[in-house]
Amino acid sequence: MPSFTLETLTPEIQALVMRNIDTVRTLKSLLHASPRLFQVFCTRREYLLTQVAFNQFHPDIIEDVWTLTKALQIPRSAPLADIHDFINDLSLVDNDYEQHSMPPSTIIPLCKVGTTIAWFIEDYKRSSLKLLADLGKYMDLQQDTETLESDLSIVEKGRLQRAFCRFETCCRLYTVVEGEDATYQHFCQARRYLRTLLADDVEEIACIRDYLVRRLWGVFEAVEDRAVQEDPGSTIRKLGNVCQPHDWFSRMGKLGHRDYMEYILSQGLGFLREVLESDGLRRAELVISHSTRRTNCISKALSDEADKSSYEISVDYDAGSYDGEGDYIGDGLDNLSQGLVWANDHKVPSDWGRWPLKGLRDWGYMFWGGRRLQASGALDQE
């Protein structure tokens, strides 16, 4: 009886197998391991790349992925009219993506963003759940560590993917406009995009903004610490002089670090990952060379939308409702997070969208499922 392996299957079935791969890394590994599969891939390259790119994401956020795909085609130097047209066409997004084979120039950037978002989700989990565990120690909460540190559920990962996609879309609306109205113009574009979302969706983006700012504060402090340890004539100290009107390391310069961070945020997740993964002189060069512009457009748009949002939460929170797998009933991607429902029921002030403050957004209350929140002990607090 003949043996069957992946390489002995017909090209049509091999293409079906590759069409259902959900990470670019897996596809690359498969193609490197099998010349036969590589040949099949080359005959259907655009189609298979398109499917794998979208397979990276939760199926319920495909509309947001489509929006991001179109936003990635906007060059940084695009005229404001192009951004106006993009926002005006948001309601016309075609979400029947399976019928399309996109050209590499369109789909490869989405593959890269999907890989970058996966990296950030793992980093977000490590960072935010550590804060939640530390909160448990500080407040003497009864925590189930094994459940708290367990792998992300499909819903939790989907919520984070959606928030990172929307954050990246918001960043892509940043275009350098010279003149006095530059800040106003980008603020208007970001605000128009955010107005297409619900208030709790805006709060999810604010959670991502807060996490990235928290990580950038650590980067800024590391750059400053290294500069202090080196000679005043060192390369890093000289880099600080390019920031005008104040040296990056001076007291007045440090007052502008918050606005520098906002500009770095506007450069998107790819650049932010490069900053976070770099160290030493390279990290200092990346940070300081992108501290020549100041903006607060992202936070201004987020807080402006929060001020204008009157969002009444009417979901009843039931601490005893579990499904067969131990998750709360209602932990669906389209439902309100149990953390948000708990915060609303207990009248916890949220300051939705405002600049990072110590509070709920530090530990990701918008994203975690009920089982993880229950394990954290946070939902037992009155």
Side-chain angles (χ1 to χ4, degrees), residues 346-357:
H346 291 77
K347 312 300 181 191
V348 179
S350 63
D351 290 321
W352 283 16
R354 293 190 180 279
W355 181 258
L357 300 171

Side-chain angles (χ1 to χ4, degrees), residues 153-168:
S153 69
I154 294 175
V155 170
E156 289 172 328
K157 188 175 293 186
R159 285 174 178 160
L160 284 164
Q161 286 180 335
R162 178 175 62 192
F164 275 110
C165 279
R166 289 169 172 172
F167 176 85
E168 181 71 3

Side-chain angles (χ1 to χ4, degrees), residues 368-381:
W368 308 135
R371 193 164 64 97
R372 194 181 307 276
L373 288 173
Q374 189 68 28
S376 73
L379 302 186
D380 297 329
Q381 301 303 297

Side-chain angles (χ1 to χ4, degrees), residues 6-7 14 18 30-31 34-42:
L6 185 57
E7 289 203 336
Q14 290 172 334
M18 287 188 281
L30 193 62
L31 297 180
S34 171
R36 170 62 178 161
L37 290 175
F38 180 73
Q39 290 178 344
V40 174
F41 171 79
C42 288

